[in-house]
Amino acid sequence: NQLKKAAFTQMLPGFSAVGNYMWNQKNISLMAEDGLLPVGTKMKDGSFGFTPEQISNKWTQVNGTNLPLDASGLPFDPAKNPEKILWKNYAILPKESLEMDIHNIYAGGISFVQPVYLGGKILELYKIAGYAEILARAQQENQTMDLLVSVDESYWRVISLKYKVELAKEYRNLISKLDSDLNVMVEEGVSTKADQLKVRVKLNEAEMTLTRAENGLSLSRMALNQLCGLAISDLTPLEEKNPYTGQILPGNFSMVSVWDNRPEIKALTQAEKMARSSERIALSRFLPNIVLSGSYLISNPNVFNGFEKKFDGMFNMGVVATIPVFHFGERWHTLKAARLTHENSLLELQEAKELIELQVNQNAFRIAEEIKKQVAAVHNVDQAVENLHSASEGFNAGVIPVTDYMMAQTAWLSAKSELIDANIEMSLCDLYLRKSMGTIEIPVRQK
C-alpha cells in the first residue's frame, strides 16, 4: 500500500530548494591592465572613424585617393590596418572598472519539475505497485493457509493419539482382567503357569503400548501448542471436531472457482500483470519524454544590473522534450527480454492451473478411496467385537485356549486402531482437498 502511494506521487510535481555559499581567493577581472580607447568621430553612416585633425599621421595621395602614412612613411588603408593609425587623444579604461568582487558568493533557488508525458512508464509503475500489494496479500494468505493446515494436521494427530490412549487403556484392562481370571484358574488347577506367563507378557506389552501412546500424546500436544503460540506445557482442552463424513467425487467442482480461490494463482496472476507492465515500461523507452520545469534563482552578487553586491533573482519556466534516436539496440534488447519474461509468466500461470487441477482430482480420488477404507474398517471392527465376544464365552466355558482368546483380543485391538486411523485419515484427506480447492476459511484477525 505504501509503495502504491509512493508510485502515485510520481505523477505530481517535484519541488526542491537549494542554497549555496562560496568563498573565493581571487576576484575576476576582464582586463589584464588599464586600457586606452582612441578618441574618434561617429561618421555619417554610424560607424566609428576619424578626421585628419584627430590623428598624427601624415597624408599622401595615391591614384587620386588620400591615404595616411604609417610610422615608416608608407601609405596604408585605415580600414584594413587600423593599428597603424596614430591617434592624438585616448580615453583611459581602468582595469578596476571591469573587476568583479567574487570573494563571497551567495546563491539559492527553488525549482519544480512536472512530468507531462513519459511514454506511460509512470502509470505502469503505479499499476505495478498495486499488483505488488495484491501479490503480498496473496502470499500472506498462502502462508496463513499453510499454517492452518499444519495446525489441523497437528490437531488430528493429537485426537488420534487421544483415541489410541483410550484404546490402549481398554486393551490393558482386558488383558489385566484375563490375568486376574487366570490367577484364579491356576489356583483351582484348571490352567497352567505357562498360560499365565503368556498373559503376563501380553500385559507388559499392553503397559508399554499405553506408555508410548501417552508420551506421544504429550509430545503432540506440545507441538500443537508451539504452532498455536501457546506455552509448551499448557493443557488447553481441545474442542473435538467430528471426523469427515461427506463425499466429494472427482469432477464435482468448478475449476474456475478453484483457481479463483487459490492464493498461488492470485499471486501468479499478479506476477503476470507485473511482467506485462514491465514490458510496457521497456516499450516506453522508445517514446519521447516531456516535462515542464520552472524555478526561481537568487544570488548575491547578481548580474542583472551590472555587477551589484545585493540579492536579486528571476523566475524561469520551460518545457523539455527528449526523443530517443539511437542507442545501438540496447533498448530493443531490453524490450525483447521483457517480452520473454512476460511470456514465461503466462506459461507459469498456465502450468500452475494444470497442476492444481491434477492436485484437486488426486485428493478427490483419495477421499473416495478413504471412504471405502472407512467402511471396511467399521465392518472389521464389528467382526472383531463379535469374534472377541465369542472367544470370551468360549474361554469362560473352557473350550477355547487362552492363546486363541488373546489372539481375538489382539485382532480387536488392531481393528479398533485401524478404524481410528481411517477416521483421522478421512479428516486429513478432507483437509487436503479443501486446501487444494482453496476453501479453507481464514479467520479474520481482530484489530
Side-chain angles (χ1 to χ4, degrees), residues 221 224-225 230-231 233-239:
R221 289 187 69 98
L224 179 60
N225 288 345
L230 302 175
S233 58
D234 193 0
L235 295 178
T236 304
L238 298 179
E239 180 182 350

Side-chain angles (χ1 to χ4, degrees), residues 313-354:
M314 68 173 180
F315 291 97
N316 62 70
M317 186 84 65
V319 177
V320 179
T322 305
I323 302 175
V325 178
F326 182 69
H327 294 86
F328 294 94
E330 179 268 337
R331 300 190 179 191
W332 167 251
H333 294 307
T334 303
L335 175 60
K336 190 174 181 179
R339 284 176 176 171
L340 291 175
T341 302
H342 184 204
E343 292 175 2
N344 288 337
S345 64
L346 288 172
L347 293 175
E348 289 178 1
L349 178 60
Q350 184 61 33
E351 183 182 11
K353 288 182 177 180
E354 293 173 356

Side-chain angles (χ1 to χ4, degrees), residues 55-118:
I55 64 175
S56 300
N57 299 80
K58 296 182 180 180
W59 294 78
T60 186
Q61 194 173 54
V62 178
N63 297 328
T65 303
N66 289 328
L67 293 176
L69 299 176
D70 60 15
S72 302
L74 298 176
F76 67 94
D77 186 351
K80 294 181 179 180
N81 302 102
E83 72 280 359
K84 295 182 179 182
I85 299 175
L86 302 176
W87 298 91
K88 288 183 178 180
N89 299 308
Y90 289 89
I92 187 171
L93 182 61
K95 173 179 180 292
E96 291 79 6
S97 64
L98 293 179
E99 185 173 300
M100 290 166 280
D101 183 4
I102 61 167
H103 280 302
N104 298 284
I105 296 179
Y106 304 88
I110 298 176
S111 63
F112 79 93
V113 176
Q114 171 63 61
V116 179
Y117 177 74
L118 299 180

Side-chain angles (χ1 to χ4, degrees), residues 118-399:
L118 299 180
K121 60 171 63 72
I122 293 182
L123 179 60
E124 295 302 327
L125 287 173
Y126 178 73
K127 290 181 179 179
I128 287 177
Y131 300 148
E133 180 182 2
I134 301 175
L135 173 61
R137 285 202 299 265
Q139 291 175 339
Q140 183 182 21
E141 181 182 349
N142 188 43
Q143 293 174 354
T144 304
M145 193 174 294
D146 289 340
L147 176 61
L148 291 175
V149 170
S150 298
V151 171
D152 268 15
E153 287 175 340
S154 184
Y155 166 81
W156 285 116
R157 192 179 301 114
V158 171
I159 296 301
S160 174
L161 288 170
K162 180 181 178 182
Y163 289 153
K164 289 190 176 182
V165 166
E166 295 174 357
L167 179 62
K169 289 180 179 179
E170 191 174 355
Y171 176 68
R172 190 267 316 271
N173 293 337
L174 283 175
I175 299 297
S176 180
K177 184 177 183 304
L178 177 59
D179 179 60
S180 178
D181 292 342
L182 274 177
N183 287 335
V184 176
M185 294 173 68
V186 168
E187 292 176 358
E188 293 178 354
V190 295
S191 185
T192 65
K193 284 283 186 180
D195 290 338
Q196 190 178 27
L197 290 175
K198 292 178 183 179
V199 173
R200 291 284 172 84
V201 171
K202 280 293 183 182
L203 181 60
N204 290 334
E205 291 178 355
E207 292 287 354
M208 289 301 301
T209 300
L210 176 59
T211 301
R212 284 195 296 266
E214 289 175 341
N215 291 338
L217 177 59
S218 298
L219 292 174
S220 297
R221 289 187 69 98
M222 291 179 183
L224 179 60
N225 288 345
Q226 190 273 331
L227 282 174
C228 296
L230 302 175
I232 296 296
S233 58
D234 193 0
L235 295 178
T236 304
L238 298 179
E239 180 182 350
E240 294 189 21
K241 298 189 293 186
N242 294 324
Y244 175 76
T245 57
Q247 183 176 5
I248 299 179
L249 297 177
N252 190 22
F253 43 78
S254 169
M255 285 310 304
V256 175
S257 62
V258 170
W259 292 331
D260 290 340
N261 292 333
R262 286 292 293 263
E264 297 94 332
I265 297 299
K266 296 177 184 178
L268 288 173
T269 299
Q270 301 309 312
E272 182 273 328
K273 292 180 179 179
M274 293 172 69
R276 181 177 57 194
S277 291
S278 296
E279 179 183 350
R280 292 175 178 172
I281 290 176
L283 180 62
S284 70
R285 300 180 66 203
F286 291 89
L287 303 176
N289 294 337
I290 301 175
V291 297
L292 175 66
S293 65
S295 63
Y296 177 78
L297 304 176
I298 187 171
S299 66
N300 180 6
N302 70 84
V303 294
F304 301 114
N305 187 21
F307 197 80
E308 293 181 303
K309 295 209 63 175
K310 68 177 184 179
F311 283 99
D312 199 0
M314 68 173 180
F315 291 97
N316 62 70
M317 186 84 65
V319 177
V320 179
T322 305
I323 302 175
V325 178
F326 182 69
H327 294 86
F328 294 94
E330 179 268 337
R331 300 190 179 191
W332 167 251
H333 294 307
T334 303
L335 175 60
K336 190 174 181 179
R339 284 176 176 171
L340 291 175
T341 302
H342 184 204
E343 292 175 2
N344 288 337
S345 64
L346 288 172
L347 293 175
E348 289 178 1
L349 178 60
Q350 184 61 33
E351 183 182 11
K353 288 182 177 180
E354 293 173 356
L355 291 175
I356 287 175
E357 184 174 4
L358 177 62
Q359 185 183 60
V360 171
N361 280 283
Q362 286 176 337
N363 288 326
F365 278 117
R366 187 178 174 186
I367 273 203
E369 293 176 0
E370 292 300 328
I371 289 175
K372 295 180 181 179
K373 289 182 181 180
Q374 188 184 43
V375 172
V378 171
H379 180 66
N380 291 338
V381 168
D382 293 339
Q383 288 185 334
V385 170
E386 184 178 354
N387 182 44
L388 180 61
H389 179 70
S390 300
S392 177
E393 291 181 348
F395 175 74
N396 292 331
V399 296

